[in-house]
Amino acid sequence: MKKLILFGDSLLAGYIDGHATNIVTQGLQEKLPNFTIINNSVPGTTTEEAIDFYELRVKPFDYDLVILSLGTNDANIHFGLSAGRYAHNLQVLVDLIGADKTLLMGPSYTNWKIVPDQAWPKTLQFELVVEECHIENNIPFLNFAKVMRKTGHPNNLLQKDGIHLNQEGNKLLIEKLAELVQEKEMVTTS
């Protein structure tokens, strides 16, 4: 059976009411029965920390695919990461994981009116950075912030904190991540 590692922040960790849950792991397992899903996401992680975590949370596993989902914390204005540093860190992570085994997801939509340190201009800038990483490395990419905005009611997909996904948001995330994995599998087998 193939192994899929989820390597990201609180979004992939299924963060609900202040705690990581298995909602994303279980949801993907149901949609991707041919995979063993290993969720090694760490709430609060930035790309800076993820580089250090790679040795413990990704490298030891004989993985087929890794969903790399970081950027929401990087885009927080208090962490001070520039778009250039974020781009550099993403590329380091893609190189460590292997471009052929990486699926990318950028920062999520956040309600900047509730969480002003998640200013939308910086989040948008980081979305563009991860999209460029996707193009440069020719790897599958989910712009989940854009998917959320396209619903016409992205704030309805968030918990009261304005950052983390509620049940409906997690359902959408699981659906879109499963589609991303299935598309990658179709390209690989053809």
Side-chain angles (χ1 to χ4, degrees):
M1 194 177 281
K2 293 185 175 186
K3 282 187 194 159
L4 170 64
I5 296 178
L6 307 182
F7 187 48
D9 53 28
S10 56
L11 293 177
L12 286 188
Y15 207 74
I16 297 175
D17 296 329
H19 303 291
T21 71
N22 60 5
I23 190 170
V24 176
T25 309
Q26 282 184 335
L28 282 174
Q29 192 64 74
E30 289 171 15
K31 292 194 174 287
L32 303 168
N34 295 330
F35 280 90
T36 298
I37 312 290
I38 301 167
N39 197 334
N40 284 338
S41 300
V42 180
T45 300
T46 66
T47 53
E48 294 278 316
E49 296 150 332
I51 292 169
D52 293 333
F53 291 158
Y54 169 80
E55 289 291 324
L56 177 64
R57 295 192 166 267
V58 178
K59 187 177 179 181
F61 298 89
D62 183 24
Y63 56 88
D64 295 283
L65 293 174
V66 175
I67 295 177
L68 180 62
S69 173
L70 297 161
T72 302
N73 295 310
D74 295 76
N76 184 305
I77 60 174
H78 294 298
F79 290 153
L81 254 69
S82 68
R85 187 66 187 175
Y86 177 59
H88 168 79
N89 292 344
L90 274 180
Q91 189 58 56
V92 168
L93 287 163
V94 168
D95 290 343
L96 286 169
I97 294 165
D100 60 324
K101 295 183 177 190
T102 303
L103 306 173
L104 276 177
M105 183 177 122
S108 178
Y109 170 88
T110 54
N111 185 342
W112 60 273
K113 291 179 182 178
I114 293 174
V115 193
D117 56 345
Q118 294 288 152
W120 68 265
K122 191 164 183 183
T123 299
L124 183 58
Q125 184 182 33
F126 279 40
E127 283 178 57
L128 295 172
V129 167
V130 76
E131 186 171 1
E132 186 62 26
C133 183
H134 137 76
I135 293 167
E136 287 294 315
N137 292 283
N138 192 30
I139 52 182
F141 167 56
L142 171 60
N143 186 337
F144 192 61
K146 187 175 184 179
V147 168
M148 290 176 73
R149 286 191 299 271
K150 279 185 170 183
T151 67
H153 55 88
N155 291 327
N156 293 344
L157 301 171
L158 299 173
Q159 294 176 49
K160 291 178 186 176
D161 66 8
I163 298 173
H164 300 101
L165 301 173
N166 61 23
Q167 293 291 341
E168 187 180 345
N170 276 304
K171 183 178 176 185
L172 181 62
L173 174 65
I174 292 162
E175 175 187 319
K176 294 301 178 183
L177 287 176
E179 289 173 8
L180 191 69
V181 172
Q182 289 161 347
E183 288 170 20
K184 170 71 174 174
E185 286 294 283
M186 287 173 58
V187 169
T188 304
T189 57
S190 61

